[in-house]
């Protein structure tokens, strides 16, 4: 089974830094993905963590603590185009991505 | 463009009908996944095929079925449609069967009236 918890909505200012947290309980855990989804569009891959620690990729970083069932996505130098939903997705048994309901991020001027 | 192609983009039909959604994976990808996204639910995993064989099953209703053909394209069949089946249906593909980045198509928006 799986249980994923993310904040429903967040608001941040252009140029700022925002951290989106995700806690999960997933059997057969094989890593955690973060996807970005603009309204009505396909999810796009942002990051994948399989080991504990921080993975940095440009303005986006993702952190994983497997023992705590916790991950976060850090977005720096926010831009208006970063307004989207951010989906935390633990990988279960190597196959299925179990998506949370996502965090809707609004970036304001 | 992810390289995953889904057709049609939009589908409007009536309750009780049957529809088929089609997905062509990225070139070289062997796995195809189907997801349903409705307004009040997140992305729900339905089913995965790998190289023509069913690999994993999620929250797929018995009225729904899928298959993957020898050319690796996949079809999702939805029958006896109900109003609650109205949703965005996404297909994703990945190179292998486990622990891969999944690349999503643009989705098929199904409206059941």
């Amino acid at each position: 089974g799986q249980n994923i918890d993310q904040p429903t909505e967040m608001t941040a200012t252009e140029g700022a830094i925002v951290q989106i947290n995700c806690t999960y309980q997933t059997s057969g855990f094989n890593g955690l993905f973060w996807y970005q989804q603009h309204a009505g569009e396909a999810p796009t891959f942002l990051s994948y963590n399989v080991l504990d620690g921080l993975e940095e990729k440009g303005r986006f970083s993702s952190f994983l603590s497997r023992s705590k069932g916790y991950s976060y996505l850090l977005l720096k130098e926010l831009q208006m185009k970063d307004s989207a939903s951010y989906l935390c997705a633990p990988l279960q048994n190597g196959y299925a991505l179990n998506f949370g309901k996502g965090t809707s991020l609004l970036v304001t001027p | 463009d992810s390289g995953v192609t889904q057709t049609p983009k939009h589908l409007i039909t009536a309750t009780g009908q049957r529809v088929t959604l089609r997905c062509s994976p990225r070139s070289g990808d062997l796995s195809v996944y189907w997801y349903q996204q409705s307004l009040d639910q997140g992305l729900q995993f339905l089913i995965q095929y790998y190289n023509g064989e069913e690999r994993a099953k999620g929250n797929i209703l018995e009225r729904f079925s899928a298959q993957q053909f020898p050319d690796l394209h996949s079809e999702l069949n939805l029958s006896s449609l109900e109003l609650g089946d109205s949703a965005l249906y996404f297909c994703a593909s990945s190179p292998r069967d486990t622990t891969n980045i999944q690349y999503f198509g643009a989705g098929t928006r199904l409206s059941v009236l």
Side-chain angles (χ1 to χ4, degrees):
Chain A
Q2 51 90 21
N3 187 20
I4 301 159
D5 192 31
Q6 300 178 238
T8 305
E9 295 178 341
M10 298 183 72
T11 302
T13 306
E14 195 175 12
I17 299 173
V18 70
Q19 178 174 314
I20 302 174
N21 295 323
C22 171
T23 58
Y24 63 89
Q25 293 175 332
T26 299
S27 57
F29 179 77
N30 289 113
L32 188 139
F33 287 82
W34 283 93
Y35 278 79
Q36 179 193 60
Q37 186 179 27
H38 287 95
E41 298 183 9
T44 54
F45 169 76
L46 290 178
S47 69
Y48 173 53
N49 293 67
V50 63
L51 299 175
D52 289 354
L54 187 68
E55 295 276 346
E56 297 187 74
K57 192 188 295 185
R59 295 190 299 115
F60 292 65
S61 303
S62 56
F63 172 84
L64 176 67
S65 169
R66 289 172 297 169
S67 62
K68 294 180 178 171
Y70 168 68
S71 175
Y72 68 73
L73 180 69
L74 194 71
L75 293 79
K76 303 175 190 173
E77 302 168 16
L78 280 172
Q79 302 175 8
M80 299 298 288
K81 68 177 182 179
D82 297 331
S83 292
S85 283
Y86 291 86
L87 310 176
C88 167
L91 185 66
Q92 184 175 25
N93 296 321
Y95 307 126
L97 283 177
N98 295 294
F99 286 92
K101 292 190 178 180
T103 298
S104 180
L105 174 66
L106 176 64
V107 180
T108 60
Chain B
D1 183 5
S2 67
V4 178
T5 304
Q6 287 188 249
T7 57
K9 286 189 171 23
H10 301 278
L11 201 48
I12 301 174
T13 188
T15 55
Q17 295 298 305
R18 172 190 167 95
V19 297
T20 298
L21 312 184
R22 184 188 167 99
C23 171
S24 293
R26 294 186 324 154
S27 176
D29 283 0
L30 299 178
S31 269
V32 169
Y33 310 77
W34 287 98
Y35 292 86
Q36 179 192 56
Q37 187 174 39
S38 50
L39 279 176
D40 57 344
Q41 298 282 333
L43 267 169
Q44 300 285 318
F45 168 70
L46 296 178
I47 197 163
Q48 178 202 2
Y49 278 82
Y50 173 72
N51 205 20
E53 301 288 327
E54 183 183 302
R55 200 74 173 92
K57 219 169 191 176
N59 301 319
I60 188 165
L61 299 172
E62 284 192 13
R63 300 184 285 108
F64 296 0
S65 65
Q67 53 184 324
Q68 186 179 28
F69 295 86
D71 67 352
L72 300 177
H73 91 270
S74 178
E75 293 180 355
L76 179 67
N77 300 297
L78 315 176
S79 61
S80 304
L81 284 167
E82 302 174 0
L83 295 177
D85 298 327
S86 295
L88 258 174
Y89 290 85
F90 287 105
C91 166
S93 75
S94 66
R96 300 183 305 275
D97 61 339
T98 63
T99 324
N100 288 176
I101 298 170
Q102 294 180 24
Y103 297 91
F104 283 76
T108 294
R109 182 172 294 280
L110 174 66
S111 298
V112 182
L113 305 178

